[in-house]
Amino acid sequence: MYRILEKRQLSSVVYEMVVEAPRLARHAKPGQFLIVRKDETAERIPLTICDYDAEKGTVTIVFQPVGVSTWKYLELEEGDSFMDVVGPLGKPSDILEMSDEELKSHSFLFVAGGVGTAPVYPQVKWLRKKGIAADVIIGARTKDLIFYEDKMREVAGNVYITTDDGSYMHKGVVTTVIDELIAEGKTYDHCVAIGPMIMMKFCCLTTEKYHIPTVVSMNPIMVDGTGMCGACRLTVGGEVRFACVDGPEFDGFKINWAECLKRSQMYKTIEGQAKLRYEEGKTHEGGCGNC
Ligand code: NAD
Ligand code: FES
């Protein structure tokens, strides 16, 4: 059992839990995810690891309840336990593969949209430990949805906050801030954009104009997180990939966004899954791991 040590509400719709999981905490790296299961009958939910503390043996997860399952997870309180916490899963972030010299010669831009702010945090924190201060843009629809502002300021270089309705700081979506920073003369060698899929797509269209290589995290299309259900199938550079086993991070310029957006909408319904099976063949039966 995996005890919930802390639970807090971060914004009007987003919650954070610190969970006791010592082995996972020892091995976790930025960019990876875990799967939680409340009890034997509960749905498995893949969530990005938002922080980890090997000494305390804890991992931090952040989630926004959307379906029945995630609302049920919200019933758990401090002192309660998850039956399973599996991980770390997926490949660590690309930046972990860079040598210290490479890291120091790069300037980094992170774009965090809504709930995507949580998975951006461990990467920015990891860079700070290497002595690198990355710029971070945090975007939300409105002021009440902003979270981790103080935490992010502790580890980032500059933090730019923008709200769609202008209720806090800058007004506009995250891509308008990218355009403005470049117009001011800022230059970046590497961008990481994490948030809703439509945001990641438009970030890539924006950074491509400025030739800034951009990595995105395809967590939003995962369902079972184990390579069995086929939901997270996507095309990257003309090749079939699965977000949960080959990612979750990919080169955003190579992703077939139209296909991803269409499949993510269809996979939400049983009818949509059946239609995908009809259109794409037996790629969603599960079991072999090569779906
Ligand atoms: P949201 O819809 O409120 O959007 C957040 C910000 O993204 C907006 O304020 C805006 O600045 C930007 N944005 C949205 N559409 C844009 C567009 N067309 N062009 C430019 N910028 C745009 O975000 P939310 O409600 O917090 O998002 C929830 C979604 O985030 C869920 O679908 C969830 O799956 C996804 N998510 C993704 C990850 C990941 O790893 N990629 C992690 C957590 C959550
Ligand atoms: Fe099911 Fe990747 S989430 S195969």
Side-chain angles (χ1 to χ4, degrees), residues 25-260:
R26 272 202 302 278
H27 299 287
K29 295 199 170 63
Q32 291 186 296
F33 69 97
L34 52 74
I35 295 176
V36 290
R37 197 160 64 124
K38 190 177 165 208
D39 53 50
E40 274 170 12
T41 57
E43 192 183 341
R44 302 154 57 87
I45 310 214
L47 293 167
T48 315
I49 300 169
C50 301
D51 207 356
Y52 48 89
D53 187 324
E55 277 178 28
K56 289 186 185 159
T58 59
V59 289
T60 304
I61 51 173
V62 168
F63 64 98
Q64 175 179 7
V66 276
V68 178
S69 299
T70 33
W71 276 109
K72 283 189 180 161
Y73 279 75
L74 205 56
E75 290 165 4
L76 293 171
E77 299 295 343
E78 287 179 8
D80 292 338
S81 298
F82 289 109
M83 191 183 88
D84 291 328
V85 179
V86 180
L89 298 166
K91 294 184 176 161
S93 169
D94 271 8
I95 57 172
L96 273 77
E97 285 173 18
M98 293 186 188
S99 66
D100 286 357
E101 289 69 36
E102 256 183 297
L103 287 169
K104 292 215 164 81
S105 68
H106 277 59
S107 58
F108 292 89
L109 174 66
F110 285 81
V111 185
V115 196
T117 306
V120 160
Y121 174 73
Q123 300 201 29
V124 179
K125 184 177 167 185
W126 184 87
L127 281 173
R128 172 60 86 170
K129 282 191 179 151
K130 295 264 175 193
I132 293 149
D135 281 359
V136 180
I137 301 170
I138 298 178
R141 272 169 279 141
T142 190
K143 184 181 179 187
D144 290 350
L145 299 176
I146 299 279
F147 63 91
Y148 274 11
E149 178 183 350
D150 293 342
K151 264 171 92 109
M152 202 67 91
R153 288 194 191 283
E154 280 170 23
V155 293
N158 299 297
V159 176
Y160 307 93
I161 306 220
T162 187
T163 45
D164 298 7
D165 64 0
S167 52
Y168 189 49
M169 304 282 206
H170 187 280
K171 183 177 190 311
V173 293
V174 289
T175 44
T176 60
V177 183
I178 302 177
D179 283 327
E180 285 176 20
L181 291 174
I182 300 296
E184 281 168 18
K186 286 261 190 183
T187 56
Y188 297 102
D189 305 297
H190 190 89
C191 173
V192 179
I194 306 184
M197 214 184 312
I198 191 75
M199 179 209 90
M200 296 192 287
K201 173 188 166 176
F202 279 95
C203 274
C204 289
L205 290 174
T206 305
T207 51
E208 204 162 16
K209 285 188 301 191
Y210 306 117
H211 311 290
I212 308 168
T214 299
V215 167
V216 298
S217 171
M218 298 307 280
N219 265 37
I221 58 174
M222 287 186 202
V223 174
D224 75 342
T226 61
M228 307 263 282
C229 72
C232 70
R233 184 177 142 180
L234 71 163
T235 308
V236 185
E239 300 197 345
V240 171
R241 291 281 180 264
F242 292 90
C244 62
V245 288
D246 300 315
E249 293 190 357
F250 295 97
D251 180 339
F253 296 167
K254 292 188 177 163
I255 289 178
N256 181 335
W257 289 104
E259 178 197 60
C260 278

